[in-house]
Amino acid sequence: MSFETPGIERKVFSILKVLGSAQQAQGARVIARSLKDLGIDLTERAVRYHLRMTDEKGLTRLVGRRDGRVITELGQIELNKALVNDKVGFAFSRIESLAFRTNFDFTTHTGNIPVNISLFDKQVFSKALKAMKPVFKAGLCVSSLVAVAKEGEVIGDIIVPEGKTALATVCSIVVNGTLLKAGVPVDSRFGGILQIQNLQPLRFTELINYAGTSLDPSEIFIRANMTNVSKILETGNGEILANFREIPAICRPLAAEIAAKLKNAGIGGLYLLGNVSEPVCEIGVELNRVGIVLIGGLNPVAAAYEAGIESDNHAMSALMDYRKLVKVEQL
């Protein structure tokens, strides 16, 4: 199913992507706002124009003038097939967008931070928490601060479906965002599996380049059952989710200072800060650059998956007010 020009097709694909990820009907104003988060500047009037086109082609359906549109089954099929080149690199663009929008102030402990949203069947959520809490306690995550929402409640940008309980975990992009606000440019290179030996990071065994994927690597690795987070708690050896970044060498002292201040606010994330121009966990680093390993925010969820408790994960999902998070021990 094609449109008049590639430019229009990209815009329509982006609108379908917004509707496809929404849990309820969306109006043109909300869609336009969501598109801006993806770096696409369309006016509310332009969105309405494209929606009339998608209505005619059966890709969207008008629910009501107030309620807006929903994506149809045909639209979802088209969304899954269309513009694969536009989908590649989506994870990278999502990182850049969330980092830019992060405005957490580690001195006042206020502002918005990026989170992952995981949806569990409500009947097994307590069991999932039992599997996850030791991982939080061991520090194999970005933060032990979380948020929980029940069915029908809103968390991040998601309305929790019937029969589900949602858990928000702090995403490692919070480190990108705070470094960026301090003037430190961050090159987000890979998401991967990091081998831990005797409780120390050893090497990356698997890597996915953010610029070459349409999905978040953490979601892929969890579904592929490639982690062994729980084993680390028992033996000190295993595999966890981690991310690899690079910063200019001159920024290394500032990055270390910011990491310490984040830790005082209950946010870790920076697992390993390399030396100038030296490999980190067997990943080469360019001249006058420093490699950084960020621990994955979904490691507790990975431990639950290892225990046979599945979840629908939305990595790098949204921003949340820091003050709405609580320590996982309070749950």
Side-chain angles (χ1 to χ4, degrees), residues 264-298:
N264 288 335
I267 298 174
L270 205 160
Y271 194 46
L272 188 60
L273 181 61
N275 295 316
V276 178
S277 306
E278 291 185 5
V280 179
C281 295
E282 299 189 3
I283 302 297
V285 177
E286 294 184 16
L287 188 65
N288 292 323
R289 306 280 287 178
V290 170
I292 293 177
V293 177
L294 303 182
I295 200 161
L298 284 173

Side-chain angles (χ1 to χ4, degrees), residues 10-321:
R10 289 190 192 93
K11 293 171 184 175
V12 169
F13 168 73
S14 299
I15 290 171
L16 291 178
K17 185 159 57 175
V18 169
L19 290 175
S21 62
Q23 299 292 325
Q24 59 184 1
Q26 302 286 301
R29 182 176 301 175
V30 175
I31 293 172
R33 193 182 306 133
S34 298
L35 289 174
K36 280 191 176 181
D37 292 341
L38 298 175
I40 300 168
D41 193 8
L42 275 183
T43 65
E44 187 178 339
R45 182 177 180 181
V47 171
R48 285 199 187 95
Y49 167 76
H50 290 300
L51 285 171
R52 284 196 293 270
M53 293 172 57
T54 57
D55 286 348
E56 292 173 3
K57 293 180 179 291
L59 304 177
T60 57
R61 177 170 56 84
L62 182 65
V63 175
R65 290 197 174 273
R66 285 188 176 182
D67 296 325
R69 264 91 169 178
V70 294
I71 191 169
T72 63
E73 184 178 351
L74 180 61
Q76 192 65 56
I77 292 171
E78 182 68 14
L79 179 61
N80 292 337
K81 294 190 300 184
L83 292 176
V84 68
N85 287 334
D86 282 2
K87 294 180 185 178
V88 172
F90 175 72
F92 180 80
S93 64
R94 187 66 176 163
I95 291 172
E96 297 287 283
S97 174
L98 283 176
F100 180 78
R101 294 166 58 208
T102 298
N103 60 4
F104 178 66
D105 187 330
F106 43 66
T107 58
T108 62
H109 294 187
T110 58
N112 295 321
I113 60 176
V115 295
N116 313 298
I117 305 294
S118 299
L119 299 172
F120 295 88
D121 288 340
K122 64 180 183 180
Q123 294 91 346
V124 300
F125 183 65
S126 59
K127 184 180 177 182
L129 268 181
K130 187 176 180 180
M132 291 188 287
K133 281 186 175 181
V135 182
F136 283 110
K137 186 176 181 180
L140 295 174
C141 57
V142 178
S143 174
S144 61
L145 296 171
V146 299
V148 174
K150 299 178 181 178
E151 53 187 342
E153 296 179 343
V154 177
I155 185 167
D157 295 331
I158 294 177
I159 298 176
V160 183
E162 185 178 351
K164 299 289 184 179
T165 298
L167 176 73
T169 51
V170 179
C171 177
S172 62
I173 297 173
V174 66
V175 178
N176 291 57
T178 48
L179 288 175
L180 181 64
K181 294 299 183 293
V184 178
V186 182
D187 181 13
S188 301
R189 293 184 58 192
F190 307 107
I193 294 291
L194 181 65
Q195 183 181 356
I196 304 297
Q197 189 173 85
N198 297 323
L199 297 177
Q200 298 298 316
L202 179 63
R203 62 184 175 182
F204 278 98
T205 58
E206 301 291 346
L207 293 171
I208 294 178
N209 192 318
Y210 290 118
T213 179
S214 60
L215 301 172
D216 178 82
S218 294
E219 297 179 34
I220 297 172
F221 291 133
I222 290 174
R223 282 291 175 186
N225 205 23
M226 296 175 70
T227 64
N228 209 331
V229 180
S230 303
K231 188 178 176 183
I232 298 173
L233 304 176
E234 300 169 6
T235 67
N237 303 312
E239 292 79 33
I240 63 171
L241 301 168
N243 309 291
F244 188 78
R245 315 279 200 250
E246 280 188 10
I247 61 172
I250 195 173
C251 300
R252 190 184 189 280
L254 180 56
E257 180 184 337
I258 290 172
K261 290 180 178 178
L262 280 173
K263 199 167 185 178
N264 288 335
I267 298 174
L270 205 160
Y271 194 46
L272 188 60
L273 181 61
N275 295 316
V276 178
S277 306
E278 291 185 5
V280 179
C281 295
E282 299 189 3
I283 302 297
V285 177
E286 294 184 16
L287 188 65
N288 292 323
R289 306 280 287 178
V290 170
I292 293 177
V293 177
L294 303 182
I295 200 161
L298 284 173
N299 276 313
V301 176
Y305 192 85
E306 293 163 19
I309 307 165
E310 295 194 8
S311 58
D312 181 13
N313 299 311
H314 301 263
M316 306 184 294
S317 178
L319 293 173
M320 281 194 69
D321 188 335

